[in-house]
Amino acid sequence: MTSDKTDEKDAVLIARLTAQSRCYIPEPVDESWGRLRHLGARRSRLIVDMVTQVQQIRALLECVWPAALDTARQPFRSRTRVAVLRVICERDGGDLDRTHRLGLPRLERAARREITRAGGQKPSLRIIRNLFAALTDPAGVRAHRRGALEQVDLLLSDWAEDQRRVADTEARMVGVLDELALTDLVTSIAGLSAVGAAAILAETGDLTRFPTARAVVKHAGLAPRENQSGAFTGRAKLTGHGRPGLRLAAWRGVWGTQLANPVYGDRYRHLTSREVNRLTPTQAQAAIAATILRHLHAVVTTGRRWDPHIARHGTDPTPTKISTAA
C-alpha cells in the first residue's frame, strides 16, 4: 500500500482492504534467513560507527592540524596517511615538533612498518613527504593539539577494530548466502558483489514471499507515487515508505553496478539525457536501485542467472529500445 492518489488506485485499495489482501506474505521463521537479517543489522551499525569515527577525526584535525587533511586526495582511503597519523599520534604522542626533529627517513621507516602490520605492502612516499612538510604548519589551535591528537589516536584504533569486525561480519553474511545456494545467482548481476547482495537480502528476507518484483520495490519505498484525481495531476515522487535499511542497501549497490554493469550504465545515461521526462542524476540512481531489486527478485525466484539481454530487452526475443519508464 502506498499513498498514490488516483481514482483507479483508490478503488483497488478499497477492494484490497475489504478482502484483507496484502502485497506480500509475512516473513516466515527460518534459521538461515533470520541469521542473515541479524548479521545485516550488525553490519549496518558498524558502518554507522565507522562513519562517525571518520567525521570525528576530520573535525579534530580541522581544529588543531588542518594541514594534515590536504596531504592526500582521499585522506581516509589512503593507508599511508592513516599509518603516518598512527605513528605521529602513538609513537610521538602527538608532538609534531618531535616527529620533525626525528627526520623524514625515520618517519618513512615507521610508516612502512605500520603499513606492513596492517596488511599493506608499501607506502606512498609522496604522501609521507607531504605530511612531514605539514608538521611545521602553524595553522590550528596549538593549545589543544596534544589532547586532540591523542583522541585521534584512540579513534583510529576504534576505526581499525570496526573495520576488522565489518570484514568478519561480511564473511559470515556471504557464508549464509552459500548455505542458501544464492551466491552464484545474485553475483551473476554484473557489478553486484556478494556482500552487496547479502546486505539487500538481509533487509528483504526470502524474496520468494513477494509475488511480484514491484512488491519488493514498494517494500523499499522506491516505487513512484502518483498524485492524480479526476482532472488534477500532481507531481510524482518516491513514496519513501517501507524499509529505510533496504532502500539504503539498494542505493549502495548502485555505485558499483552503475560503473561495471553496461545495462545499468546505459540506462542511467538514457534517463539523464532523454528529451521527455529527463531525470536528475539522483532520480536516475533511484531508478537503478529499484531495477537492482527487481532483477534480484527475478534471479532468486526463477533460479536463473542474470541475463544482460533479458535485462535490456525483456523476454521478447525481438530487441526493443530501452524503456523510458523511470
Side-chain angles (χ1 to χ4, degrees):
M1 294 183 289
T2 70
S3 55
D4 291 8
K5 185 68 178 73
T6 67
D7 294 339
E8 293 82 2
K9 289 186 176 181
D10 285 348
V12 172
L13 180 60
I14 293 170
R16 285 183 175 177
L17 288 174
T18 302
Q20 292 297 303
S21 178
R22 295 292 183 266
C23 63
Y24 55 89
I25 64 175
E27 185 173 359
V29 178
D30 181 86
E31 182 176 334
S32 296
W33 284 106
R35 182 175 172 229
L36 182 61
R37 174 155 300 214
H38 286 292
L39 288 171
R42 173 178 170 80
R43 177 178 179 269
S44 297
R45 288 194 300 269
L46 289 172
I47 290 176
V48 170
D49 290 342
M50 289 171 58
V51 172
T52 301
Q53 290 152 7
V54 167
Q55 295 303 326
Q56 288 178 331
I57 294 172
R58 183 185 296 276
L60 289 168
L61 291 176
E62 285 177 347
C63 177
V64 301
W65 191 22
L69 294 173
D70 299 327
T71 56
R73 182 174 300 176
Q74 294 180 314
F76 293 96
R77 292 188 178 182
S78 169
R79 286 189 175 185
T80 300
R81 181 185 173 280
V82 172
V84 175
L85 276 180
R86 292 297 302 270
V87 171
I88 294 173
C89 296
E90 186 176 356
R91 185 196 68 178
D92 299 334
D95 188 346
L96 304 188
D97 293 333
R98 180 178 187 275
T99 306
H100 189 265
R101 287 195 306 271
L102 292 177
L104 179 60
R106 292 187 64 175
L107 183 62
E108 290 180 356
R109 290 194 296 270
R112 193 181 300 274
R113 288 195 299 269
E114 182 67 25
I115 288 178
T116 303
R117 185 182 65 83
Q121 294 182 351
K122 60 181 181 179
S124 169
L125 298 181
R126 176 184 59 82
I127 294 177
I128 294 178
R129 289 164 186 156
N130 289 343
L131 276 165
F132 185 78
L135 293 172
T136 57
D137 193 295
V141 183
R142 299 181 66 88
H144 286 284
R145 183 169 286 177
R146 293 286 294 274
L149 291 181
E150 180 181 20
Q151 181 70 359
V152 167
D153 183 37
L154 296 173
L155 288 169
L156 286 172
S157 298
D158 294 340
W159 189 43
E161 178 61 20
D162 283 345
Q163 285 180 309
R164 185 195 63 78
R165 291 174 178 172
V166 167
D168 175 71
T169 303
E170 290 176 346
R172 293 171 184 264
M173 293 173 69
V174 174
V176 175
L177 282 190
D178 292 339
E179 291 178 10
L180 296 168
L182 293 177
T183 305
D184 184 62
L185 281 175
V186 297
T187 55
S188 65
I189 300 177
L192 186 63
S193 66
V195 172
I200 295 174
L201 295 178
E203 294 291 337
T204 63
D206 189 355
L207 285 175
T208 59
R209 68 191 178 100
F210 295 90
T212 64
R214 179 168 173 78
V216 185
V217 176
K218 293 172 70 175
H219 189 54
L222 289 172
R225 179 182 68 186
E226 294 179 286
N227 185 14
Q228 179 182 343
S229 181
F232 171 78
T233 301
R235 183 179 179 182
K237 58 182 180 180
L238 297 183
T239 64
H241 296 171
R243 295 183 65 88
L246 174 56
R247 197 157 55 247
L248 177 60
W251 182 268
R252 285 173 174 161
V254 170
W255 305 108
T257 55
Q258 184 179 326
L259 297 176
N261 191 309
V263 176
Y264 296 166
D266 290 345
R267 178 170 174 78
Y268 174 82
R269 286 185 288 273
H270 167 71
L271 292 174
T272 54
S273 62
R274 63 189 182 185
E275 295 298 327
V276 180
N277 193 22
R278 180 181 300 177
L279 302 186
T280 66
T282 301
Q283 290 172 329
Q285 288 163 350
I288 294 175
T291 302
I292 292 173
L293 294 179
R294 288 194 292 268
H295 289 176
L296 270 176
H297 180 270
V299 299
V300 170
T301 56
T302 64
R304 294 178 57 186
R305 291 173 56 84
W306 184 80
D307 187 329
H309 179 80
I310 295 177
R312 189 186 297 272
H313 305 298
T315 55
D316 188 343
T318 302
T320 58
K321 295 182 179 179
I322 299 176
S323 172
T324 59

